[in-house]
Amino acid sequence: MGVVKALRCAKCGWESSSWTIFRCASCGAVLEVLLDLGNLTDSDLSEIRQRKERTIWRWFEFFPVESRSSIVSLGEGYTPLIQSFRLSEKLGLSRLYLKNDTLLPTGSLKDRSNSVGLSRAKELSFSTAAVISTGNAAASVAAYAAAAGLKSVVMVPEGTSSAKVLQAVAYGATVVVVQGSFDEDVARLYKDALKEFGWYDCLSSNPYRDEGKKSYAYEMLDQLDGEVPDWVIHPTAGGTGLYAMWKGYNELLQFGWIKRLPRLVAAQSDAAAPLVRSFEKGLAEVEPVRARDTIAESIQVGNPISVGWRALEALRASRGTAVALSDGEIIEAQSVLARFAGIFAEPAGAVSVAAAWKLLKQGVIRKDDLVVCNITGHGLKQPSAIRVSDEELRPIPPTLESLRKHIQKSAD
Ligand SMILES: Cc1ncc(COP(=O)(O)O)c(C=O)c1O
Ligand SMILES: [Zn+2]
């Protein structure tokens, strides 16, 4: 079981004869990993669930890596799936679960992808991993490359604050600041550089890496003891999460390990909602939009070019939906998540909670539905999103009288 059979085009069926060609030579679409999982039975499932690993690699056979000795792991996966009594009550959802991916090794969901991506890179003998990013992907690629013993190159547009790439620098990445815009200039140079230097591509144009987020489906099966959520809500940018969760859940269905599938929800910022708009218009392909600035900066993507169409497909096939949230709604969700559940997420990571709240108010989700919100990035990734006045932080004299006044003021 668990043999990588081919890289195949999901649009036209073309198959690559090489493990390192990621795009269809006929239509240009990103290829998909074809795995031969064999005929798994209920006893295989019991055996998998009893394995000691508390990482995505408990499900080794389901990822496109041939040898366990290639695995590059920092302990990713099996993040807590928790119920918060106070948050559930606040939102009015009795069966709300929070999949807390802020606790992944580099603080975001990207580690699910890059653990798989960099393991395969090692297997294919690459020496340098590359990515363009202004945030979470950069740190994650840099960390996994460090663990794998590969070099990493991270390209960012000029104007990107150094705070965003500090984490990648700490892991030893070479950071290249490029003049021009992200979507055009940096992206073009990145594409040329991959060809010129033979670097390993760590974007969603890499089919191996895209398999990593299937782990959500496997972990939820385990953590909910076989129960399938009515809804899984995912903060969405490139669409890899939706695409991969759908693929993972369908694999579980194929073996009869679950009896039905969850409905998937794409949660986006209304400043960058190409999937929501395309879903509403009933399109098969994503119509790119010009992304505006949003507090949810990690998901500020206007053109989910690689797997966006697959995400749309997953939304429809699952009878799911797509919802756009304003910055106000996102900040409010970030705040209630922290103050009622004790989880500090970056704004983009809390968009799923904003979507759950909105869909409940709209009557799309019912109050006793089993709802999972993926919480995808740590709050410390973007501390500037938390408003605090100088007045609040001004030092007070060390007297009880001053302390009393300060507490009184903040209670007002
Ligand atoms: C915090 C956070 N949440 C969600 C996403 C969504 O990614 P995708 O739609 O590719 O699963 C990203 C990455 O872009 C992210 O950084
Ligand atoms: Zn094709």
Side-chain angles (χ1 to χ4, degrees):
M1 50 189 204
V3 179
V4 191
K5 269 177 51 181
L7 295 180
R8 179 192 281 173
C9 177
K11 277 192 175 161
C12 74
W14 183 84
E15 277 187 22
S16 173
S17 54
S18 151
W19 294 126
T20 56
I21 292 175
F22 295 168
R23 276 190 189 277
C24 175
S26 172
C27 76
V30 171
L31 300 176
E32 186 183 337
V33 171
L34 205 64
L35 282 176
D36 183 0
L37 295 170
N39 275 324
L40 300 180
T41 62
D42 286 356
S43 64
D44 290 311
L45 176 61
S46 308
E47 187 270 315
I48 290 170
R49 291 189 63 188
Q50 278 163 25
R51 290 178 185 169
K52 291 223 159 48
E53 292 149 300
R54 293 286 299 172
T55 71
I56 64 168
W57 297 102
R58 178 179 290 185
W59 297 81
F60 171 72
E61 293 84 354
F62 290 76
F63 296 114
V65 173
E66 268 152 35
S67 162
R68 277 190 176 271
S69 62
S70 311
I71 292 176
V72 183
S73 176
L74 295 170
E76 58 293 312
Y78 279 86
T79 51
L81 182 66
I82 63 160
Q83 277 190 293
S84 158
F85 170 71
R86 288 194 70 229
L87 186 67
S88 296
E89 196 177 55
K90 168 82 180 160
L91 302 191
L93 274 167
S94 62
R95 303 188 74 207
L96 173 67
Y97 286 82
L98 307 163
K99 183 69 174 149
N100 187 2
D101 269 7
T102 70
L103 296 179
L104 284 170
T106 74
S108 88
L109 82 169
K110 302 282 179 183
D111 296 342
R112 295 183 182 275
S113 311
N114 289 312
S115 180
V116 175
L118 266 296
S119 299
R120 188 62 172 161
K122 207 171 127 190
E123 201 153 70
L124 297 172
S125 304
F126 278 91
S127 57
T128 302
V131 76
I132 44 174
S133 161
T134 60
N136 292 328
S140 180
V141 168
Y144 281 87
L150 270 71
K151 295 196 182 79
S152 59
V153 179
V154 172
M155 291 165 58
V156 300
E158 62 183 331
T160 303
S161 77
S162 55
K164 293 255 186 62
V165 289
L166 275 185
Q167 211 184 344
V169 172
Y171 293 126
T174 300
V175 174
V176 188
V177 182
V178 183
Q179 294 172 352
S181 73
F182 187 84
D183 284 334
E184 282 152 32
D185 306 287
V186 191
R188 187 174 18 82
L189 178 62
Y190 177 72
K191 218 167 143 196
D192 293 347
L194 289 178
K195 252 197 229 142
E196 177 70 18
F197 302 112
W199 295 336
Y200 185 71
D201 177 13
C202 291
L203 286 182
S204 50
S205 36
N206 176 330
Y208 306 117
R209 165 208 182 277
D210 290 348
E211 296 281 292
K213 291 181 197 165
K214 290 195 303 185
S215 53
Y216 280 122
Y218 313 145
E219 283 172 36
M220 283 181 212
L221 168 89
D222 234 352
Q223 293 175 317
L224 292 171
D225 219 2
E227 200 172 356
V228 176
D230 295 304
W231 303 91
V232 182
I233 309 181
H234 188 68
T236 297
T240 332
L242 294 172
Y243 152 75
M245 279 195 291
W246 189 238
K247 191 171 179 185
Y249 266 112
N250 275 283
E251 288 167 349
L252 300 176
L253 187 73
Q254 173 193 333
F255 297 120
W257 295 345
I258 52 174
K259 299 285 173 263
R260 62 180 184 89
L261 293 160
R263 300 172 79 171
L264 302 184
V265 179
Q268 299 201 290
S269 156
D270 65 6
L275 270 155
V276 179
R277 305 295 168 235
S278 304
F279 179 78
E280 285 168 354
K281 286 184 186 170
L283 304 176
E285 295 284 340
V286 182
E287 207 170 68
V289 301
R290 183 172 287 277
R292 288 178 281 113
D293 283 346
T294 164
I295 190 82
E297 54 189 29
S298 295
I299 55 168
Q300 190 180 323
V301 171
N303 188 8
I305 198 166
S306 297
V307 296
W309 70 279
R310 295 289 267 168
L312 274 180
E313 217 175 46
L315 291 178
R316 294 214 173 90
S318 75
R319 298 181 305 114
T321 189
V323 54
L325 291 312
S326 69
D327 274 13
E329 290 169 317
I330 296 169
I331 291 167
E332 193 178 5
Q334 182 194 30
S335 171
V336 296
L337 183 60
R339 289 164 187 247
F340 286 79
I343 296 177
F344 181 28
E346 64 174 303
V351 172
S352 47
V353 172
W357 211 353
K358 190 164 191 162
L359 291 170
L360 177 73
K361 285 179 195 155
Q362 290 174 347
V364 178
I365 289 181
R366 286 168 309 177
K367 75 171 185 26
D368 46 8
D369 284 349
L370 199 170
V371 179
V372 175
C373 287
N374 291 341
I375 313 297
T376 50
H378 202 289
L380 291 174
K381 293 276 194 173
Q382 194 185 331
S384 59
I386 303 302
R387 297 266 169 269
V388 57
S389 68
D390 290 347
E391 176 66 19
E392 279 172 272
L393 297 185
R394 184 162 300 134
I396 61 162
T399 64
L400 272 179
E401 182 50 27
S402 315
L403 179 60
R404 204 170 279 119
K405 264 194 214 150
H406 187 86
I407 292 170
Q408 184 57 47
K409 226 186 280 166
S410 54
D412 290 342

